């Protein structure tokens, strides 16, 4: 009998007795899949081979550093990955039990084994610049991320949002701007938006530049950014893109004090005013690499599964919404649950 568990990553126990582990830290499944190269999804142990995109493998190797044993990507007949629309290289994983190699005895003992699972990983259905949004396909079981799984998290239309950001960049031309976003993901989107503005010069930190290099090599993109260094003098018309985690560090405070730079934060959490104060930002925009609440609902409708498992963020709230308002069998995945009674 098939089963879905949340222990070391999301684990799909197939009717054959094999386990597919998605985004496992220790890579301990019989088959292992990786959705993307963000740190909270990456392996901790030496991975050997993983089912993932070529770009995710390259980004993972870059982020784990030269001293780590390189990840080697592989394929598996039961696994198909499609664009997840989250960040460059991200993939949603479809596992089809009917394609798992097995003997006739296996089929007799476990039944037909025709269940199709969809694990979204982090996802976004929006097309954004060089990213193709997640286009969900039907499956029997859906394991969906629910980062923004509450009704208050509905984001502006993408083109409108991007236009507002570019207009703001032009309106604040007389000051340098510091733009904060994840090194892999929003940092690249911000650079592309700066390129559409009237800003004169674009700089990025070492961490962002490294990710730019990997993405640029695989997708043929030139982000047009210079590397920011200590001796760099920022002036009016300049933009500097930095990792989100640096927004309240001392060197950022020094830049603001020396140049009068304006700090802007970009995230789905900018829906709440508290995001501005937590990051010490002067301006915020609701720019996200995830589905908003409405888009999560649309994903579920498109997949139309018999069973939904929610994971991360507002998992309980979204599962309750699916069950109460949309008529789906839905449960939040709890870490290390051993039976349905543990939900």
């Amino acid at each position: 009998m098939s089963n879905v568990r949340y222990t070391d990553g999301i684990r799909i126990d197939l009717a054959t007795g094999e386990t597919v582990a998605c985004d496992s830290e220790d890579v301990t499944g019989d088959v292992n899949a990786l959705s993307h190269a963000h740190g909270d999804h990456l392996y901790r142990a030496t991975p050997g081979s993983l089912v993932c995109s070529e770009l995710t493998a390259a980004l993972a190797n870059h982020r784990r550093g030269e001293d780590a044993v390189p990840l080697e990507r592989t394929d598996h007949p039961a696994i198909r990955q499609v664009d997840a629309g989250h960040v460059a290289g991200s993939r949603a994983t479809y596992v089809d039990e009917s394609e798992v190699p097995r003997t006739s005895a296996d089929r007799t003992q476990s039944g037909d084994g025709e269940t199709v699972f969809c694990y979204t990983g982090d996802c976004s259905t929006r097309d954004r610049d060089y990213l193709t949004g997640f286009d969900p396909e039907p499956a029997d079981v859906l394991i969906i991320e629910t980062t923004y799984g509450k009704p208050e998290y509905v984001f502006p239309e993408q083109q409108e949002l991007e236009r507002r950001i570019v207009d703001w960049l032009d309106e604040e031309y007389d000051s340098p701007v510091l733009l904060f976003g994840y090194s892999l993901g929003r940092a690249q989107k911000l650079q592309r938006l700066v390129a559409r503005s009237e800003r004169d010069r674009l700089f990025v930190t070492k961490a962002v530049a490294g990710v730019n290099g990997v993405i640029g090599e695989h997708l043929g993109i030139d982000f047009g950014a210079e590397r920011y260094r200590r001796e760099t003098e920022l002036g009016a018309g300049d933009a500097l893109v930095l990792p989100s985690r640096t927004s309240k560090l001392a060197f950022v405070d020094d830049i603001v004090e020396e140049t009068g730079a304006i700090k802007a934060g970009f995230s789905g959490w900018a829906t709440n005013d508290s995001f501005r104060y937590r990051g010490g930002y002067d301006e915020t925009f609701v720019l996200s690499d995830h589905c908003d609440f409405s888009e999560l609902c649309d994903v579920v409708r498109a997949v139309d599964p018999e069973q939904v498992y929610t994971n991360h963020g507002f998992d309980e709230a979204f599962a309750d919404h699916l069950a109460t308002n949309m008529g789906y069998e839905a449960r939040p995945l709890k870490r290390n649950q051993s039976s349905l009674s543990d939900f």
Side-chain angles (χ1 to χ4, degrees):
M1 180 179 178
S2 305
N3 186 37
V4 176
R5 296 176 291 138
Y6 174 29
T7 56
D8 177 19
I10 301 299
R11 306 176 76 83
I12 302 170
D13 298 322
L14 303 177
T16 56
E18 293 180 290
T19 295
V20 178
C22 299
D23 296 341
S24 166
E25 288 188 350
D26 294 321
V27 198
T28 53
D30 298 304
V31 183
N32 297 282
L34 178 63
S35 63
H36 64 287
H38 274 159
D40 58 337
H41 289 254
L42 268 182
Y43 49 85
R44 178 178 58 199
T46 301
S49 60
L50 288 170
V51 179
C52 63
S53 70
E54 291 185 3
L55 180 48
T56 288
L59 287 166
N61 287 331
H62 167 75
R63 304 196 89 189
R64 282 294 178 251
E66 296 179 356
D67 295 334
V69 177
L71 176 160
E72 295 182 5
R73 68 167 303 279
T74 189
D75 295 305
H76 189 277
I79 292 180
R80 181 170 58 89
Q81 292 191 314
V82 301
D83 285 331
H86 177 54
V87 297
S90 63
R91 297 290 185 267
T93 299
Y94 281 81
V95 181
D96 186 346
E97 278 192 318
S98 69
E99 299 297 330
V100 177
R102 68 183 82 180
T103 66
S104 298
D106 288 333
R107 290 188 181 277
T108 300
Q109 293 171 8
S110 59
D112 291 336
E114 299 294 325
T115 303
V116 177
F117 301 83
C118 172
Y119 167 64
T120 66
D122 290 339
C123 65
S124 173
T125 53
R126 301 180 176 209
D127 291 337
R128 305 182 313 288
D129 203 319
Y130 54 87
L131 288 180
T132 300
F134 178 41
D135 185 12
E137 302 172 16
D140 302 303
V141 177
L142 172 64
I143 306 122
I144 186 170
E145 65 109 338
T146 50
T147 302
Y148 296 109
K150 278 190 172 183
E152 56 261 42
Y153 294 101
V154 175
F155 306 150
E157 191 272 330
Q158 189 68 24
Q159 290 184 342
E160 172 196 344
L161 174 60
E162 292 180 2
R163 184 168 54 250
R164 283 167 45 194
I165 293 171
V166 173
D167 287 347
W168 176 81
L169 288 167
D170 292 339
E171 290 166 2
E172 299 294 344
Y173 181 84
D174 291 338
S175 300
V177 291
L178 309 183
L179 313 177
F180 295 87
Y182 288 134
S183 299
L184 167 57
R186 277 192 295 279
Q188 285 71 46
K189 316 303 184 307
L190 292 172
Q191 292 170 74
R192 301 285 277 185
L193 291 171
V194 170
R196 289 164 48 183
S197 75
E198 297 177 359
R199 291 270 155 182
D200 296 323
R201 298 190 300 172
L202 170 62
F203 296 93
V204 296
T205 61
K206 179 180 178 180
V208 176
V211 173
N212 281 358
V214 179
I215 294 175
E217 179 182 350
H218 279 74
L219 300 183
I221 296 173
D222 181 0
F223 290 98
E226 301 177 50
R227 168 83 183 280
Y228 178 81
R229 304 179 187 278
R230 288 184 179 274
E231 60 270 21
T232 302
E233 295 185 5
L234 292 179
D238 291 341
L240 169 60
V241 177
L242 307 96
S244 300
R245 58 183 171 79
T246 66
S247 67
K248 301 192 79 172
L249 296 184
F251 87 93
V252 170
D253 293 337
D254 292 341
I255 293 173
V256 171
E257 184 175 349
E258 293 169 6
T259 69
I262 299 172
K263 295 170 61 178
F266 301 81
S267 173
W269 299 118
T271 305
N272 297 326
D273 290 338
S274 60
F275 175 75
R276 179 193 296 255
Y277 303 110
R278 290 199 309 270
Y281 301 122
D282 301 301
E283 185 62 81
T284 58
F285 294 91
V286 185
L287 183 67
S288 178
D289 290 325
H290 293 263
C291 287
D292 69 8
F293 174 80
S294 296
E295 291 160 343
L296 288 172
C297 293
D298 290 341
V299 169
V300 176
R301 291 189 188 97
V303 176
D304 195 22
E306 297 175 7
Q307 175 69 56
V308 182
Y309 295 102
T310 59
N311 178 243
H312 192 64
F314 297 111
D315 52 354
E316 293 186 5
F318 192 68
D320 182 67
H321 173 79
L322 293 179
T324 303
N325 300 309
M326 295 177 63
Y328 285 97
E329 184 71 30
R331 296 185 178 92
L333 275 177
K334 298 299 183 182
R335 184 182 286 274
N336 296 322
Q337 95 279 358
S338 58
S339 67
L340 288 180
S341 64
D342 290 334
F343 281 100

